[in-house]
Amino acid sequence: MPALLSSLNTMGRAMLSQRAGANTAGHNIANVNTPGFRRQEVLLEAMAPSPHGVKLAGNRHAVDDSLERRYNTYMGLGGYSQTRAQHAADIESTIGQLGEDSIGQRMAKMFGAFRELTAAPGDHAHRLQVIQRGQEFASSVRNAATNLASLQNEYNSLVNSDVDRANTLITEIANLNGGIKQLEAGGGQALSLRDQRDSAAQELAFNLGARIFIDDQGDMTVLAGGGLSLVQGQSARTLLADPDPGSGLTRVRVSGGAQIDIGAQLTGGTLRAHLEARDADIPQRMDDLDQLAFDVSASINAVHRVQFGLDGATGRDFFVDQATVNGAAASFSVDAVVANDPQAIGAATDPTMLPGDGRGATNLANIEDQNVAAGGTISLGAYWTSIVSDVGTWTQSLGVQASRADLQLEQVDALREQVSGVNLEEQMLSLMRYQRGFEAASRVIKTVDEMLDTLMAM
Amino acid sequence: MFRVSDKMTFGLMQSGVRKTQTAAYAAQRRAQTGLRVERVSDDPAMAARSELIGARLLRIKSMDRVAGHAEIALSVAESTLGVAGDVMVRVQELAIQALNGTMTSGDRIILAREVTQLREQMLSLANTQNAGEYIFGGFDTDTQPFLNDGSFVGAAGERQVEVSPGVMMGMNVSGDAIFGTSTGTDVFATLDVLISDLNTNDEAAIQTRLGELETVRDQITDGRATLGIRLDTLGAAEQIRIDQRSQLETAQADAVAMDPAESYVDLVRAQSALQGALAQAQKILAQMEQTIF
C-alpha cells in the first residue's frame, strides 16, 4: 500500500496530465485556422504497477500518412492542370479572339476591299481602302505574334521564380529533417515541425510534382521527375536555372554530378506546365500564325506581281515578301511601295486597258476561295478557322481536366480534414473533460491533505 | 465514423459561395453581351461556324457596294441611250421631211445644219461622263472615247463585277458596240453621210439613208434594252443578297447568341443559387453560434 505522501505525488502527476490534456485542447483550438495544422491528442496511460495513477505518454498526431501521400500526388496533378489550363486561356486570348476585329474577319475585309476595287479600279479612295484593310489585317497578325512572344517571356520568368521557390522549399525540408531528428532523439516530440515539413512538401508537390517518402530513419525523402532525389536526409540538391545556350530560355537542371536537365522529366507541378506552355504550346501556335502569314503573302504576291498598277508598272509585291515560314508573322506587312502609293496596286491585267481594267482586282479577290493554305489543301479562311477552333477545343479540354483535378484534390483534402482537422465542439468538450479530471484530482489531493492533518493531530 | 472539422465546414461554405458567384457572374456576362459563346473555348464548333458565317456576311456587304456602283453606272448609261434614241427619232423625222417633193436645195441645207447639231449632241452623249469616268470608253475611263470624227479610241471591254454569289455582270457597255464602230452600223458615219447628202441635195441617196437610220436607231434601242435587263438582274441580285444575309445572320445568332428569354431565366437561376448558398452559410453560422461557447 502506497504511503499518503506518495499519493500526493501520484495526484500531482494526475493534475499535470489533465492540465496537459487541457493545454493540448487549447493548442488545437488556437490553431483551428492554421494552414497545414494537424490535430494533436494527449496519450494518457495508466502507470504500472497500479495504483500509481496516470502518466503522459506523449501526444498523438492525427495524421494518416497514406492520405498525405495521396494528397501530394493530387497536388502535383492539380498544380499542373490548373496552370496549364490558365496558360491555354492566355494563348486563346491572343490568337483565338472572336468578333469583328478577329484575324479571320480582318482578312475577309481585306478581300472585300479587293472585291470593291473591281467596280472602281481607277478610284483613289477605293485603292486607299485596299491598303488600309491590308494594313489592318497585317497588324492584327503582327500583334498576335508579339503577344505570343511576350507570353513566352512571361512563362520563362515564371519558370525562374518557380525554381527559386522550389529551392527554398527543398532547403527547408532538409533543415526540418535535421531539426525533427534532433528534437526526437532527445525523447521529445516535434509535431509542429512535422506539420511544417508536410506543408513544405505539399507546396513542393504543387510546384514540381515532387513525390514524398518517409525513409526508415524517419527522414523525408523528396523525389522529382523520374526518380531524381532532391532531398535525402539532411542533404539537399539545388535546382539550377540558367539560359539554354541555344534558345536563351531558362533550362532547369539539378546540381551535382552530371547536371541532368530535369525539365523534361517532371511528372506534374506548375513548373512542368510553364515549361510545356513555353516550349510546346506557344511555338506550335506561332508556327500556325507564321503559316497563315506566309501563305497569304505568297498567294497574293504571286498574283499581284504579274498585274499592273495605274502607272503601267508590274512586278510589285503587295505584301513584304517572306523568305521562310518561320518568323513570317512578326514581319508581316504591306509592302512599302504599295503602302505609300495607291497607284502602285496591281489591279489590271492589261496595261493598255488602264485605268478601268479591274480584272486583276477580281483575281486578287478570288484568292479567298482558292485552296492556297497549308500546302494547298484548304482555303485561307478555313485554315485560320480550323486553327482557332483547335485552340478552343484544346483550351476547353484542359479546363475540364483542371476541374477534375480540383475535384479530386477537394475530395482527398476532405478525407484528410476528417482525420486531421480541428472540430471546435470536440475540443471544447475535451477541454471540459480535462478540466473535470483536473478538479477531481485536486479534490483527491484535498482529501489526502485532510487525512494527513488527521495523522498529524494524533 | 465521419468527423467534421471546422475547416471543412467553412471550406464547404466558401467553395459553395465561390462556385455560385462564378456561375452568377458568367450568367450576367452572357445576359449583358447577348452571347452564349464569347470565347472559342465556350463552344469551339459553334465559334468556328460563326467565324465562317462572318466572312460570308462580309462578302455580301462588299457585293452590296459593288452592286451599288453598277446600278448607278448602268442607270446613267441607260438614260443616256434613251436620249440618244430620241435624237435618232428626230434625225429620222428630218430625213423624211427632206424627201418631201416641195423641198428645195436651200431647205435641205437648213435641214443639214440641224442634223449637224444633232450629230454634235450624239457625240457628246457618246462621251458622257459619270463621276469623272467616261461611261462608254470600255476599260479606258480616263480618255474621251469618241473623237470628233466619230472614231472610237477607248479600250473595248466590259468591267465584270460580282453582284451576288457567283453571278458576274458587266457594269458598263463599251461605246464601240452601241455606236457601231466595231460591230453593227457606224452611227457617226451614217449621220455624216446624211449631212453630206442633204448638202448636195441628193434625194436618191437620202432615200437610201432611211434604212440605215432605222438600223442605227434599233441598235441604240437594243443597247438600251440590254442595259434595262441588267438593271432588272441587279434588282433580283439585291433580293438574293437580302435573303442570304438574313439566313446567314439567323444561322450566326443560332450558333453563338443567347436567346434573351433563355438568358433571363439563366440569370435568375444563377442568382438564386447564389442566394441559396449565402442563406445556407448564414444558417450554418447561426447554428455554430449556439454551441457550448
Side-chain angles (χ1 to χ4, degrees):
Chain A
M1 189 180 137
L4 272 177
L5 282 173
S6 75
S7 288
L8 283 176
N9 278 342
T10 307
M11 295 326 292
R13 231 183 357 260
M15 285 176 72
L16 285 173
S17 301
Q18 303 305 319
R19 218 181 68 186
N23 273 348
T24 304
H27 180 70
N28 286 335
I29 290 171
N31 281 298
V32 67
N33 287 327
T34 307
F37 176 79
R38 277 83 63 96
R39 197 168 43 96
Q40 297 175 14
E41 286 170 4
V42 281
L43 293 170
L44 299 176
E45 278 173 20
M47 267 195 91
S50 70
H52 282 121
V54 69
K55 80 167 179 198
L56 197 52
N59 273 5
R60 188 181 85 86
H61 204 189
V63 179
D64 180 335
D65 276 327
S66 74
L67 272 181
E68 294 296 315
R69 276 202 294 282
R70 212 192 312 170
Y71 187 65
N72 272 329
T73 311
Y74 287 136
M75 278 296 254
L77 282 171
Y80 171 68
S81 314
Q82 280 169 30
T83 312
R84 195 104 194 284
Q86 276 165 25
H87 290 338
D90 291 340
I91 293 175
E92 185 192 45
S93 300
T94 61
I95 66 173
Q97 226 188 349
L98 295 176
E100 282 184 6
D101 278 325
S102 73
I103 288 175
Q105 298 301 296
R106 285 201 178 178
M107 182 167 69
K109 281 185 193 164
M110 176 189 74
F111 282 116
F114 286 134
R115 201 164 288 117
E116 287 172 41
L117 190 60
T118 63
D123 180 52
H124 188 74
H126 280 74
R127 284 175 172 255
L128 271 180
Q129 183 179 240
V130 166
I131 293 172
Q132 202 178 11
R133 299 247 181 109
Q135 283 174 328
E136 282 169 2
F137 169 51
S139 85
S140 69
V141 171
R142 283 196 311 272
N143 281 347
T146 308
N147 288 342
L148 282 176
S150 44
L151 268 183
Q152 199 180 40
N153 275 340
E154 198 185 297
Y155 298 161
N156 198 50
S157 312
L158 289 176
V159 166
N160 286 335
S161 58
D162 266 13
V163 167
D164 281 345
R165 184 71 191 134
N167 279 334
T168 309
L169 291 168
I170 288 167
T171 314
E172 195 180 317
I173 292 175
N175 289 343
L176 284 168
N177 275 343
I180 291 168
K181 193 165 240 116
Q182 216 178 13
L183 254 183
E184 292 183 350
Q189 280 190 312
L191 300 187
S192 300
L193 292 182
R194 282 173 179 274
D195 282 351
Q196 277 181 46
R197 189 175 66 177
D198 275 348
S199 266
Q202 279 159 27
E203 201 187 326
L204 200 54
F206 191 75
N207 184 303
L208 287 180
R211 282 173 0 262
I212 312 298
F213 297 103
I214 308 289
D215 68 15
D216 41 6
Q217 310 287 326
D219 285 333
M220 176 176 276
T221 303
V222 177
L223 301 176
L228 271 167
S229 88
L230 296 175
V231 178
Q232 222 162 9
Q234 294 178 47
S235 64
R237 293 164 89 174
T238 326
L239 294 177
L240 304 168
D242 62 341
D244 181 289
S247 67
L249 297 169
T250 306
R251 61 183 170 177
V252 182
R253 295 176 300 161
V254 184
S255 66
Q259 297 198 332
I260 309 157
D261 190 320
I262 199 180
Q265 298 186 40
L266 295 171
T267 53
T270 57
L271 186 59
R272 182 182 171 204
H274 297 322
L275 289 169
E276 278 182 7
R278 186 194 74 182
D279 297 337
D281 301 337
I282 287 186
Q284 186 187 359
R285 299 311 168 189
M286 266 318 299
D287 283 348
D288 293 335
L289 199 58
D290 279 341
Q291 189 67 51
L292 178 75
F294 183 81
D295 287 341
V296 171
S297 36
S299 56
I300 287 185
N301 282 349
V303 169
H304 192 262
R305 263 183 219 128
V306 302
Q307 293 176 175
F308 298 85
L310 283 179
D311 51 8
T314 184
R316 291 188 182 115
D317 286 336
F318 185 79
F319 284 113
V320 168
D321 191 41
Q322 303 293 338
T324 57
V325 174
N326 194 1
S331 54
F332 184 54
S333 57
V334 175
D335 186 275
V337 171
V338 164
N340 288 326
D341 182 13
Q343 299 221 331
I345 298 176
T349 53
D350 187 335
T352 64
M353 301 281 199
L354 299 169
D357 180 5
R359 288 170 293 188
T362 307
N363 290 343
L364 288 166
N366 285 343
I367 292 173
E368 195 178 15
D369 295 330
Q370 292 162 5
N371 290 345
V372 293
T377 56
I378 198 178
S379 77
L380 290 164
Y383 171 69
W384 187 246
T385 305
S386 78
I387 298 297
V388 166
S389 116
D390 207 38
V391 170
T393 311
W394 169 73
T395 304
Q396 194 188 48
S397 79
L398 285 177
V400 165
Q401 281 180 40
S403 300
R404 210 182 302 140
D406 274 351
L407 197 61
Q408 283 173 331
L409 206 53
E410 262 181 37
Q411 286 172 352
V412 179
D413 198 26
L415 289 173
R416 280 171 73 239
E417 273 295 305
Q418 273 186 55
V419 171
S420 318
V422 172
N423 180 316
L424 287 175
E425 283 97 344
E426 197 185 52
Q427 297 304 312
M428 293 305 287
L429 287 169
S430 278
L431 203 55
M432 289 201 278
R433 181 157 54 99
Y434 289 115
Q435 189 186 22
R436 285 185 69 81
F438 185 84
E439 284 169 4
S442 73
R443 189 76 184 82
V444 173
I445 288 180
K446 196 152 177 273
T447 309
V448 169
D449 191 40
E450 284 167 9
M451 282 199 241
L452 279 171
D453 281 346
T454 309
L455 259 182
M456 298 297 129
M458 274 167 69
Chain B
M1 200 179 100
F2 190 82
R3 268 192 76 247
V4 176
S5 74
D6 274 61
K7 218 183 273 178
M8 268 166 83
T9 312
F10 279 98
L12 203 60
M13 283 195 291
Q14 275 173 334
S15 82
V17 169
R18 194 178 57 237
K19 281 175 188 160
T20 51
Q21 260 178 348
T22 308
Y25 174 73
Q28 210 177 341
R29 247 198 107 67
R30 284 196 298 271
Q32 223 172 340
T33 60
L35 289 174
R36 195 176 52 85
V37 180
E38 223 185 329
R39 308 182 66 135
V40 190
S41 49
D42 292 339
D43 190 340
M46 288 297 115
R49 206 167 131 72
S50 167
E51 283 289 289
L52 288 170
I53 291 175
R56 287 179 65 193
L57 281 169
L58 284 170
R59 241 175 137 148
I60 292 184
K61 204 173 183 178
S62 33
M63 276 184 234
D64 282 344
R65 298 218 183 101
V66 164
H69 278 293
E71 185 169 354
I72 292 173
L74 290 169
S75 299
V76 169
E78 198 251 354
S79 63
T80 305
L81 289 184
V83 176
D86 293 342
V87 166
M88 284 316 297
V89 166
R90 181 67 186 141
V91 169
Q92 281 177 309
E93 278 174 11
L94 294 172
I96 290 169
Q97 225 181 327
L99 288 173
N100 190 319
T102 61
M103 284 263 142
T104 65
S105 77
D107 294 331
R108 292 198 179 99
I109 288 173
I110 292 169
L111 287 179
R113 272 193 225 129
E114 193 178 338
V115 175
T116 306
Q117 275 178 355
L118 289 169
R119 187 210 182 268
E120 297 292 304
Q121 198 183 355
M122 186 65 84
L123 184 67
S124 107
L125 286 172
N127 285 329
T128 300
Q129 282 181 299
N130 168 39
E133 289 188 342
Y134 287 99
I135 65 178
F136 293 117
F139 285 127
D140 191 346
T141 51
D142 267 1
T143 317
Q144 187 178 302
F146 288 95
L147 299 178
N148 284 340
D149 65 1
S151 57
F152 179 73
V153 294
E158 282 184 7
R159 221 179 301 152
Q160 297 288 326
V161 292
E162 194 181 14
V163 296
S164 71
V167 174
M168 305 294 278
M169 171 183 290
M171 64 184 274
N172 66 324
V173 274
S174 189
D176 62 331
I178 305 283
F179 298 97
T181 50
S182 63
T183 59
T185 312
D186 186 337
V187 173
F188 299 105
T190 307
L191 290 176
D192 285 340
V193 170
L194 177 63
I195 290 165
S196 149
D197 291 344
L198 287 167
N199 279 330
T200 57
N201 204 24
D202 186 344
E203 263 191 70
I206 293 169
Q207 182 72 44
T208 319
R209 295 289 84 75
L210 285 180
E212 289 165 12
L213 290 173
E214 188 67 20
T215 307
V216 164
R217 185 183 151 200
D218 283 345
Q219 200 169 278
I220 289 175
T221 312
D222 284 348
R224 188 183 179 202
T226 306
L227 291 171
I229 292 172
R230 287 194 199 166
L231 284 166
D232 284 343
T233 310
L234 269 183
E238 185 181 1
Q239 194 54 52
I240 292 174
R241 291 195 312 271
I242 289 173
D243 289 343
Q244 271 212 3
R245 184 187 297 115
S246 161
Q247 280 174 14
L248 289 171
E249 281 172 351
T250 306
Q252 196 176 43
D254 283 346
V256 299
M258 195 77 190
D259 176 58
E262 202 187 309
S263 90
Y264 176 71
V265 167
D266 208 34
L267 186 56
V268 167
R269 201 185 311 139
Q271 283 175 339
S272 71
L274 176 55
Q275 300 297 349
L278 289 169
Q280 272 181 31
Q282 270 185 333
K283 218 182 255 183
I284 294 173
L285 283 170
Q287 188 189 28
M288 278 181 157
E289 271 167 34
Q290 292 177 14
T291 57
I292 43 184
F293 283 99

